[in-house]
C-alpha cells in the first residue's frame, strides 16, 4: 500500500518555519543517517554504484518509466545541453516567457543557428508551429508556481511533429508526473524530492535517444562500467545509461532513502495535501486561486519587504523575479500557514 502524506511527513524532523522547498528541500532523518554512516565508512565504488542504481530505479518508479529509460546526472542544465547539442542546425526551440534559465540558456548558446522563441505560458500549446523543432518547458514554473497544461502542450506538439522536453524539477515529489508523455524529461532531486544537491535525472524515449550523441560519455556510460575505465574502445550501454555521468557518490547516498520514500508515496494524495495548504494560505492572504492547483504561493514583493518580515519572524521563504515565494511541502502544516498570515498582518 502506498504511503500516506502522514507517513511521509513522519520521515522528516519538525520543519516549522521552512517554506522554501522550491529552493531546496530538507533532508529526511534517513538521509541524514545515510550520509553520516557513509562518512564513517571506507569509500567503496562498488557499493556506491549499487546505490546509484537503486536511485535510478526509484526515480523510474516515481515517473512511471523503465529504469532503462533513465540517465543519471548532476545538474539539469548539463542534461539539457546534451539535448541541445543533438538538435539539427537551425532548430527552433519554443519556451515560455520567464522560463528558468537552466532550461533556456543551453539552447540560446548552442550556436549552429539554433534559435529560441518565447511566448506566455498559457499560450504555449497554441503557439506551437510546424517549423518548430522542440518545445521546452517546466511543468511547474519556478518564478510563479504556475502549472503548465502539459496535456495540451504534448497534444499540440505531436500534431505538428515537434519534440517535447519537460523540466519536472518543481513537480516531482508533490504531483503525479508521467515522464513517458514527453520525448525527454529532466529533474533535479534537491528540491521537492529532498535529496542532496548533485543528483539529477534524464528520461528519454527510445526514439528520441537514437538521435542523441553521448557527447559526455565517460567510464560510467559503458555497458560494464568496470570494464570501461581505460581506453577508447569501450562499448557504451544500449540503454539511456549511455548518457550517464559518473554519480556524485555522497550525494546519491543521501538521495537513496529520499527517492525511495517518495517512490513509495501516493502522489495524488501528496498533491491534494500540499495544494490544500497553499489554497488555505492564499485565502488568508486574499490572493486569487490559480487555474491549476499548485503548492507554490507567490505575490508581488519587488522591494523584498514581505520576505524580510517573514525572515525576521523565523519563516524561511524565497524571493524570485520580484515575487515573494512560499512553497508548502509535505513537511509543512497549518501552523506554517498561520505563522505566515500572522506575520504579514492577515
Amino acid at each position: 500500500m502506498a504511503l500516506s502524506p502522514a507517513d511521509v511527513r513522519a520521515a522528516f524532523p519538525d520543519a516549522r518555519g521552512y517554506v522554501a522547498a522550491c529552493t531546496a528541500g530538507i533532508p529526511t532523518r534517513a538521509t541524514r543517517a545515510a550520509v553520516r554512516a557513509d562518512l564513517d565508512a571506507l569509500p567503496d565504488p562498488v557499493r556506491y554504484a549499487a546505490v546509484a542504481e537503486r536511485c535510478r530505479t526509484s526515480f523510474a518508479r516515481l515517473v512511471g518509466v523503465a529504469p532503462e529509460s533513465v540517465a543519471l546526472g548532476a545538474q539539469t542544465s548539463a542534461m539539457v545541453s546534451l539535448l541541445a547539442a543533438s538538435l539539427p542546425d537551425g532548430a527552433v526551440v519554443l519556451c515560455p516567457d520567464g522560463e528558468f534559465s537552466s532550461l533556456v540558456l543551453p539552447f540560446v548558446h548552442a550556436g549552429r543557428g539554433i534559435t529560441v522563441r518565447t511566448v506566455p505560458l498559457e499560450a504555449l500549446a497554441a503557439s506551437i508551429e510546424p517549423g518548430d523543432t522542440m518545445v521546452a518547458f517546466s511543468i511547474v514554473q519556478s518564478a510563479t508556481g504556475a502549472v503548465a497544461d502539459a496535456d495540451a502542450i504534448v497534444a499540440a506538439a505531436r500534431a505538428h511533429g515537434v519534440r517535447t522536453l519537460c523540466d519536472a524539477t518543481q513537480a516531482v515529489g508533490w504531483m503525479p508526473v508521467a515522464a513517458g508523455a514527453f520525448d525527454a524529461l529532466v529533474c533535479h532531486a534537491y528540491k521537492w524530492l529532498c535529496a542532496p544537491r548533485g543528483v539529477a535525472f534524464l528520461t528519454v524515449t527510445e526514439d528520441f535517444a537514437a538521435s542523441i550523441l553521448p557527447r559526455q560519455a565517460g567510464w560510467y556510460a559503458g555497458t560494464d562500467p568496470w570494464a570501461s575505465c581505460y581506453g577508447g574502445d569501450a562499448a557504451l550501454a544500449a540503454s539511456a545509461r549511455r548518457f550517464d555521468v559518473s554519480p556524485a557518490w555522497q550525494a546519491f547516498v543521501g538521495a537513496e532513502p529520499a527517492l525511495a520514500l517518495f517512490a513509495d508515496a501516493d502522489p495524488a494524495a501528496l498533491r491534494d495535501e500540499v495544494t490544500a495548504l497553499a489554497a488555505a494560505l492564499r485565502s488568508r492572504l486574499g490572493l486569487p486561486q490559480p487555474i491549476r492547483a499548485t503548492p507554490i504561493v507567490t505575490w508581488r514583493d519587488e522591494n523584498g519587504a514581505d520576505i524580510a518580515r517573514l525572515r525576521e519572524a523565523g519563516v524561511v521563504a524565497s524571493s524570485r523575479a520580484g515575487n515573494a515565494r512560499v512553497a508548502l511541502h509535505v513537511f509543512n502544516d497549518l501552523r506554517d500557514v498561520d505563522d505566515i498570515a500572522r506575520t504579514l498582518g492577515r
Side-chain angles (χ1 to χ4, degrees):
M1 180 179 294
L3 298 178
S4 69
D7 296 327
V8 178
R9 185 179 301 111
F12 290 90
D14 186 2
R16 183 176 182 178
Y18 188 81
V19 289
C22 54
T23 299
I26 63 170
T28 65
R29 294 187 181 90
T31 286
R32 294 168 187 263
V35 172
R36 290 191 183 103
D38 181 69
L39 293 174
D40 290 334
L42 295 175
D44 181 355
V46 174
R47 174 170 59 86
Y48 290 136
V51 168
E53 293 312 309
R54 290 194 291 271
C55 288
R56 190 195 311 271
T57 298
S58 288
F59 186 77
R61 287 201 293 133
L62 268 163
V63 297
V65 297
E68 292 75 19
S69 298
V70 178
L72 306 181
Q75 302 93 17
T76 56
S77 58
M79 293 172 157
V80 175
S81 295
L82 176 68
L83 303 181
S86 296
L87 291 184
D89 293 357
V92 177
V93 180
L94 177 65
C95 297
D97 293 337
E99 180 58 82
F100 193 69
S101 296
S102 293
L103 188 60
V104 180
L105 292 181
F107 298 111
V108 170
H109 296 287
R112 298 182 294 108
I114 293 175
T115 61
V116 174
R117 65 186 186 91
T118 68
V119 299
L121 178 66
E122 290 302 321
L124 196 60
S127 300
I128 298 173
E129 301 173 353
D132 295 332
T133 309
M134 173 179 282
V135 55
F137 67 101
S138 295
I139 195 168
V140 179
Q141 292 291 297
S142 173
T144 65
V147 178
D149 188 349
D151 290 342
I153 294 167
V154 169
R158 286 178 178 169
H160 293 297
V162 175
R163 295 286 191 188
T164 53
L165 167 60
C166 174
D167 187 334
T169 299
Q170 293 287 4
V172 180
W174 73 262
M175 69 178 286
V177 175
F182 312 101
D183 291 297
L185 176 144
V186 293
C187 180
H188 205 305
Y190 76 102
K191 296 181 184 283
W192 297 88
L193 288 170
C194 300
R197 187 170 169 84
V199 176
F201 301 94
L202 163 70
T203 73
V204 61
T205 62
E206 186 174 353
D207 171 64
F208 190 27
S211 70
I212 302 170
L213 294 175
R215 296 173 186 267
Q216 55 191 19
W219 70 279
Y220 206 78
T223 300
D224 176 3
W226 308 111
S228 305
C229 295
Y230 307 103
D233 59 353
L236 297 187
S239 68
R241 278 196 52 249
R242 67 185 181 276
F243 306 124
D244 279 7
V245 295
S246 180
W249 290 344
Q250 284 76 20
F252 275 79
V253 166
E256 182 185 0
L259 293 169
L261 174 71
F262 284 99
D264 287 339
D266 180 341
L270 286 181
R271 176 197 59 206
D272 293 346
E273 177 90 359
V274 298
T275 57
L277 285 174
L281 178 59
R282 290 189 196 93
S283 294
R284 292 285 297 273
L285 299 183
L287 298 172
Q289 301 294 344
I291 298 172
R292 286 173 287 277
T294 173
I296 301 175
V297 180
T298 63
W299 64 92
R300 296 305 293 171
D301 184 36
E302 295 183 12
N303 62 4
D306 285 349
I307 287 295
R309 291 166 65 191
L310 290 172
R311 286 186 173 269
E312 283 182 14
V315 177
V316 179
S318 56
S319 180
R320 293 292 186 277
N323 293 325
R325 190 177 65 157
V326 166
L328 293 156
H329 202 4
V330 67
F331 48 70
N332 297 118
D333 56 37
L334 286 172
R335 296 177 304 167
D336 294 296
V337 172
D338 291 339
D339 290 344
I340 294 167
R342 182 173 56 254
T343 299
L344 297 178
R346 308 290 174 85

